[in-house]
Amino acid sequence: MRSTKLERGAVTLRRTAVITGMALVLGGAVVVPSASAAAPAGPQACATKTLTTGYQKQGTTVNKSGSSSCNDLNLTYSNDSTSTVGDSYRGFYKTSSGWKGGSRGYIFAYDVNHSPWIVLLSDVSSGTPMGVGSQYDGGDTVKVAH
């Protein structure tokens, strides 16, 4: 890294040149080398899965993806099987001592695609079994990103 510092009165400008395996940054402009010089692909976007909720406990489960760039269990879609409005959902995860409910508790969600996503669990370790529970009934269809 090479840095040049220019001072003009109360304003200090710093022009930095950084060369990495992917880009050259020089004074705010980014130059990306050709595809042949690109670094290997990084983690994929969030993994997704459709689950069925349990009644105040996890229903069907999914293991936290190790190849995903997501660290959370995110609710991206929900459809309450017995209501046209919605339900409240909670993330569950499995530890060595059994299943635990996430600290966020139950979060109400309408029967729609969710944007932004609703975070049910934060900072989940790769390989951790996770599921979603409904507060008012089980058997709801939800889609999660993890």
PDB file of all heavy atoms in Angstrom, residues 45-65:
ATOM      1  N   ALA A  45     -24.255 -16.720  -2.196  1.00  0.00           N
ATOM      2  CA  ALA A  45     -25.272 -15.937  -1.501  1.00  0.00           C
ATOM      3  C   ALA A  45     -25.990 -16.856  -0.513  1.00  0.00           C
ATOM      4  O   ALA A  45     -25.667 -18.034  -0.411  1.00  0.00           O
ATOM      5  CB  ALA A  45     -26.243 -15.359  -2.516  1.00  0.00           C
ATOM      6  N   CYS A  46     -26.945 -16.345   0.180  1.00  0.00           N
ATOM      7  CA  CYS A  46     -27.652 -17.133   1.191  1.00  0.00           C
ATOM      8  C   CYS A  46     -28.276 -18.399   0.602  1.00  0.00           C
ATOM      9  O   CYS A  46     -28.878 -18.357  -0.462  1.00  0.00           O
ATOM     10  CB  CYS A  46     -28.766 -16.297   1.810  1.00  0.00           C
ATOM     11  SG  CYS A  46     -28.195 -14.800   2.609  1.00  0.00           S
ATOM     12  N   ALA A  47     -28.146 -19.494   1.323  1.00  0.00           N
ATOM     13  CA  ALA A  47     -28.838 -20.731   0.967  1.00  0.00           C
ATOM     14  C   ALA A  47     -30.295 -20.567   1.376  1.00  0.00           C
ATOM     15  O   ALA A  47     -30.603 -19.860   2.335  1.00  0.00           O
ATOM     16  CB  ALA A  47     -28.206 -21.909   1.693  1.00  0.00           C
ATOM     17  N   THR A  48     -31.209 -21.195   0.650  1.00  0.00           N
ATOM     18  CA  THR A  48     -32.635 -21.073   0.970  1.00  0.00           C
ATOM     19  C   THR A  48     -33.258 -22.451   1.141  1.00  0.00           C
ATOM     20  O   THR A  48     -32.771 -23.441   0.608  1.00  0.00           O
ATOM     21  CB  THR A  48     -33.401 -20.306  -0.122  1.00  0.00           C
ATOM     22  OG1 THR A  48     -33.243 -20.989  -1.363  1.00  0.00           O
ATOM     23  CG2 THR A  48     -32.895 -18.887  -0.256  1.00  0.00           C
ATOM     24  N   LYS A  49     -34.366 -22.491   1.885  1.00  0.00           N
ATOM     25  CA  LYS A  49     -35.059 -23.757   2.141  1.00  0.00           C
ATOM     26  C   LYS A  49     -36.500 -23.448   2.525  1.00  0.00           C
ATOM     27  O   LYS A  49     -36.777 -22.479   3.232  1.00  0.00           O
ATOM     28  CB  LYS A  49     -34.357 -24.499   3.287  1.00  0.00           C
ATOM     29  CG  LYS A  49     -34.925 -25.824   3.656  1.00  0.00           C
ATOM     30  CD  LYS A  49     -34.508 -26.894   2.690  1.00  0.00           C
ATOM     31  CE  LYS A  49     -34.983 -28.247   3.203  1.00  0.00           C
ATOM     32  NZ  LYS A  49     -34.665 -29.320   2.314  1.00  0.00           N
ATOM     33  N   THR A  50     -37.425 -24.280   2.057  1.00  0.00           N
ATOM     34  CA  THR A  50     -38.820 -24.195   2.479  1.00  0.00           C
ATOM     35  C   THR A  50     -39.027 -25.166   3.624  1.00  0.00           C
ATOM     36  O   THR A  50     -38.638 -26.334   3.529  1.00  0.00           O
ATOM     37  CB  THR A  50     -39.768 -24.533   1.308  1.00  0.00           C
ATOM     38  OG1 THR A  50     -39.537 -23.589   0.255  1.00  0.00           O
ATOM     39  CG2 THR A  50     -41.221 -24.456   1.747  1.00  0.00           C
ATOM     40  N   LEU A  51     -39.609 -24.681   4.711  1.00  0.00           N
ATOM     41  CA  LEU A  51     -39.827 -25.486   5.913  1.00  0.00           C
ATOM     42  C   LEU A  51     -41.304 -25.463   6.304  1.00  0.00           C
ATOM     43  O   LEU A  51     -42.055 -24.583   5.882  1.00  0.00           O
ATOM     44  CB  LEU A  51     -39.004 -24.935   7.088  1.00  0.00           C
ATOM     45  CG  LEU A  51     -37.493 -24.832   6.913  1.00  0.00           C
ATOM     46  CD1 LEU A  51     -36.877 -24.127   8.117  1.00  0.00           C
ATOM     47  CD2 LEU A  51     -36.877 -26.201   6.720  1.00  0.00           C
ATOM     48  N   THR A  52     -41.683 -26.404   7.148  1.00  0.00           N
ATOM     49  CA  THR A  52     -43.000 -26.419   7.778  1.00  0.00           C
ATOM     50  C   THR A  52     -42.799 -26.131   9.255  1.00  0.00           C
ATOM     51  O   THR A  52     -41.911 -26.725   9.886  1.00  0.00           O
ATOM     52  CB  THR A  52     -43.683 -27.779   7.588  1.00  0.00           C
ATOM     53  OG1 THR A  52     -43.791 -28.034   6.182  1.00  0.00           O
ATOM     54  CG2 THR A  52     -45.073 -27.798   8.208  1.00  0.00           C
ATOM     55  N   THR A  53     -43.591 -25.236   9.819  1.00  0.00           N
ATOM     56  CA  THR A  53     -43.413 -24.857  11.220  1.00  0.00           C
ATOM     57  C   THR A  53     -44.020 -25.889  12.165  1.00  0.00           C
ATOM     58  O   THR A  53     -44.954 -26.604  11.809  1.00  0.00           O
ATOM     59  CB  THR A  53     -44.068 -23.494  11.514  1.00  0.00           C
ATOM     60  OG1 THR A  53     -45.479 -23.604  11.329  1.00  0.00           O
ATOM     61  CG2 THR A  53     -43.507 -22.412  10.610  1.00  0.00           C
ATOM     62  N   GLY A  54     -43.485 -25.907  13.378  1.00  0.00           N
ATOM     63  CA  GLY A  54     -44.081 -26.663  14.460  1.00  0.00           C
ATOM     64  C   GLY A  54     -44.906 -25.706  15.311  1.00  0.00           C
ATOM     65  O   GLY A  54     -44.797 -24.485  15.185  1.00  0.00           O
ATOM     66  N   TYR A  55     -45.752 -26.249  16.188  1.00  0.00           N
ATOM     67  CA  TYR A  55     -46.533 -25.416  17.094  1.00  0.00           C
ATOM     68  C   TYR A  55     -45.680 -25.109  18.314  1.00  0.00           C
ATOM     69  O   TYR A  55     -45.414 -25.979  19.142  1.00  0.00           O
ATOM     70  CB  TYR A  55     -47.838 -26.109  17.492  1.00  0.00           C
ATOM     71  CG  TYR A  55     -48.609 -25.387  18.570  1.00  0.00           C
ATOM     72  CD1 TYR A  55     -49.073 -24.092  18.359  1.00  0.00           C
ATOM     73  CD2 TYR A  55     -48.870 -25.991  19.792  1.00  0.00           C
ATOM     74  CE1 TYR A  55     -49.776 -23.412  19.345  1.00  0.00           C
ATOM     75  CE2 TYR A  55     -49.576 -25.329  20.792  1.00  0.00           C
ATOM     76  CZ  TYR A  55     -50.019 -24.042  20.561  1.00  0.00           C
ATOM     77  OH  TYR A  55     -50.713 -23.371  21.541  1.00  0.00           O
ATOM     78  N   GLN A  56     -45.204 -23.862  18.421  1.00  0.00           N
ATOM     79  CA  GLN A  56     -44.355 -23.371  19.504  1.00  0.00           C
ATOM     80  C   GLN A  56     -43.108 -24.229  19.704  1.00  0.00           C
ATOM     81  O   GLN A  56     -42.597 -24.366  20.818  1.00  0.00           O
ATOM     82  CB  GLN A  56     -45.155 -23.216  20.790  1.00  0.00           C
ATOM     83  CG  GLN A  56     -46.265 -22.197  20.627  1.00  0.00           C
ATOM     84  CD  GLN A  56     -47.001 -21.888  21.907  1.00  0.00           C
ATOM     85  OE1 GLN A  56     -46.776 -22.489  22.951  1.00  0.00           O
ATOM     86  NE2 GLN A  56     -47.914 -20.931  21.840  1.00  0.00           N
ATOM     87  N   LYS A  57     -42.620 -24.816  18.633  1.00  0.00           N
ATOM     88  CA  LYS A  57     -41.351 -25.549  18.595  1.00  0.00           C
ATOM     89  C   LYS A  57     -40.948 -25.664  17.128  1.00  0.00           C
ATOM     90  O   LYS A  57     -41.732 -25.326  16.237  1.00  0.00           O
ATOM     91  CB  LYS A  57     -41.488 -26.939  19.223  1.00  0.00           C
ATOM     92  CG  LYS A  57     -42.439 -27.855  18.475  1.00  0.00           C
ATOM     93  CD  LYS A  57     -42.496 -29.217  19.114  1.00  0.00           C
ATOM     94  CE  LYS A  57     -43.374 -30.145  18.272  1.00  0.00           C
ATOM     95  NZ  LYS A  57     -43.398 -31.491  18.820  1.00  0.00           N
ATOM     96  N   GLN A  58     -39.738 -26.132  16.903  1.00  0.00           N
ATOM     97  CA  GLN A  58     -39.289 -26.283  15.520  1.00  0.00           C
ATOM     98  C   GLN A  58     -40.124 -27.334  14.799  1.00  0.00           C
ATOM     99  O   GLN A  58     -40.589 -28.290  15.402  1.00  0.00           O
ATOM    100  CB  GLN A  58     -37.804 -26.658  15.470  1.00  0.00           C
ATOM    101  CG  GLN A  58     -37.476 -28.103  15.808  1.00  0.00           C
ATOM    102  CD  GLN A  58     -37.587 -28.434  17.290  1.00  0.00           C
ATOM    103  OE1 GLN A  58     -37.708 -27.557  18.128  1.00  0.00           O
ATOM    104  NE2 GLN A  58     -37.530 -29.717  17.604  1.00  0.00           N
ATOM    105  N   GLY A  59     -40.334 -27.129  13.521  1.00  0.00           N
ATOM    106  CA  GLY A  59     -40.985 -28.130  12.681  1.00  0.00           C
ATOM    107  C   GLY A  59     -39.901 -28.857  11.906  1.00  0.00           C
ATOM    108  O   GLY A  59     -38.959 -29.379  12.493  1.00  0.00           O
ATOM    109  N   THR A  60     -40.007 -28.848  10.565  1.00  0.00           N
ATOM    110  CA  THR A  60     -38.925 -29.429   9.775  1.00  0.00           C
ATOM    111  C   THR A  60     -37.688 -28.554   9.957  1.00  0.00           C
ATOM    112  O   THR A  60     -37.791 -27.366  10.272  1.00  0.00           O
ATOM    113  CB  THR A  60     -39.298 -29.534   8.283  1.00  0.00           C
ATOM    114  OG1 THR A  60     -39.660 -28.243   7.796  1.00  0.00           O
ATOM    115  CG2 THR A  60     -40.432 -30.517   8.062  1.00  0.00           C
ATOM    116  N   THR A  61     -36.524 -29.143   9.774  1.00  0.00           N
ATOM    117  CA  THR A  61     -35.287 -28.429  10.090  1.00  0.00           C
ATOM    118  C   THR A  61     -34.344 -28.377   8.895  1.00  0.00           C
ATOM    119  O   THR A  61     -34.490 -29.108   7.924  1.00  0.00           O
ATOM    120  CB  THR A  61     -34.556 -29.094  11.276  1.00  0.00           C
ATOM    121  OG1 THR A  61     -34.194 -30.422  10.917  1.00  0.00           O
ATOM    122  CG2 THR A  61     -35.426 -29.094  12.523  1.00  0.00           C
ATOM    123  N   VAL A  62     -33.373 -27.502   9.011  1.00  0.00           N
ATOM    124  CA  VAL A  62     -32.296 -27.358   8.038  1.00  0.00           C
ATOM    125  C   VAL A  62     -31.028 -27.079   8.823  1.00  0.00           C
ATOM    126  O   VAL A  62     -31.066 -26.445   9.883  1.00  0.00           O
ATOM    127  CB  VAL A  62     -32.610 -26.218   7.032  1.00  0.00           C
ATOM    128  CG1 VAL A  62     -32.718 -24.876   7.717  1.00  0.00           C
ATOM    129  CG2 VAL A  62     -31.583 -26.189   5.913  1.00  0.00           C
ATOM    130  N   ASN A  63     -29.881 -27.578   8.336  1.00  0.00           N
ATOM    131  CA  ASN A  63     -28.600 -27.269   8.970  1.00  0.00           C
ATOM    132  C   ASN A  63     -28.041 -25.994   8.357  1.00  0.00           C
ATOM    133  O   ASN A  63     -28.111 -25.798   7.139  1.00  0.00           O
ATOM    134  CB  ASN A  63     -27.606 -28.409   8.784  1.00  0.00           C
ATOM    135  CG  ASN A  63     -27.976 -29.621   9.603  1.00  0.00           C
ATOM    136  OD1 ASN A  63     -28.787 -29.542  10.527  1.00  0.00           O
ATOM    137  ND2 ASN A  63     -27.417 -30.756   9.276  1.00  0.00           N
ATOM    138  N   LYS A  64     -27.488 -25.118   9.203  1.00  0.00           N
ATOM    139  CA  LYS A  64     -26.903 -23.862   8.729  1.00  0.00           C
ATOM    140  C   LYS A  64     -25.844 -24.167   7.684  1.00  0.00           C
ATOM    141  O   LYS A  64     -24.940 -24.951   7.915  1.00  0.00           O
ATOM    142  CB  LYS A  64     -26.298 -23.094   9.914  1.00  0.00           C
ATOM    143  CG  LYS A  64     -25.459 -21.889   9.536  1.00  0.00           C
ATOM    144  CD  LYS A  64     -26.264 -20.796   8.893  1.00  0.00           C
ATOM    145  CE  LYS A  64     -25.411 -19.618   8.491  1.00  0.00           C
ATOM    146  NZ  LYS A  64     -24.744 -19.785   7.208  1.00  0.00           N
ATOM    147  N   SER A  65     -25.981 -23.540   6.535  1.00  0.00           N
ATOM    148  CA  SER A  65     -25.052 -23.745   5.428  1.00  0.00           C
ATOM    149  C   SER A  65     -23.661 -23.229   5.772  1.00  0.00           C
ATOM    150  O   SER A  65     -23.510 -22.155   6.334  1.00  0.00           O
ATOM    151  CB  SER A  65     -25.572 -23.024   4.182  1.00  0.00           C
ATOM    152  OG  SER A  65     -24.620 -23.084   3.157  1.00  0.00           O
TER     153      SER A  65
END
